[in-house]
Amino acid sequence: MANDHAKDRYDPPSVGSEFDEDRFSEINPGEVFRLFMNNDSKIYRKTNDNFALDLKEGVEIQFDPNEKIYVKS
């Protein structure tokens, strides 16, 4: 019996998110990240162990090392 694609109801699971969740302390300096898991949120670049640069406004912001951040894969 042939597979009838019109009646195929298999819905494969989603592949996942394009963002990986990390902690601020776990990423390397120079890495770009966001605070929220969407493409519209601000983008930051880690400059050292405690600070990151807001790429839009050009100001450095201090982060908690355990702060949850999202890196685009």
Side-chain angles (χ1 to χ4, degrees), residues 17-31:
S17 172
E18 62 183 312
F19 293 95
D20 295 327
E21 184 179 306
D22 276 317
R23 300 280 177 201
F24 184 76
S25 62
E26 295 174 354
I27 63 171
N28 295 322
E31 195 149 358

Side-chain angles (χ1 to χ4, degrees), residues 11-48:
D11 186 17
S14 62
V15 174
S17 172
E18 62 183 312
F19 293 95
D20 295 327
E21 184 179 306
D22 276 317
R23 300 280 177 201
F24 184 76
S25 62
E26 295 174 354
I27 63 171
N28 295 322
E31 195 149 358
V32 175
F33 66 93
R34 291 174 167 87
L35 294 178
F36 302 101
M37 198 177 352
N38 64 44
N39 288 323
D40 297 331
S41 64
K42 284 187 176 183
I43 301 172
Y44 301 90
R45 181 181 307 274
K46 185 173 180 178
T47 54
N48 62 36

Side-chain angles (χ1 to χ4, degrees), residues 57-68:
E57 297 179 17
V59 292
E60 271 199 328
I61 299 172
Q62 186 170 7
F63 282 89
D64 177 14
N66 291 321
E67 178 126 16
K68 197 182 295 187

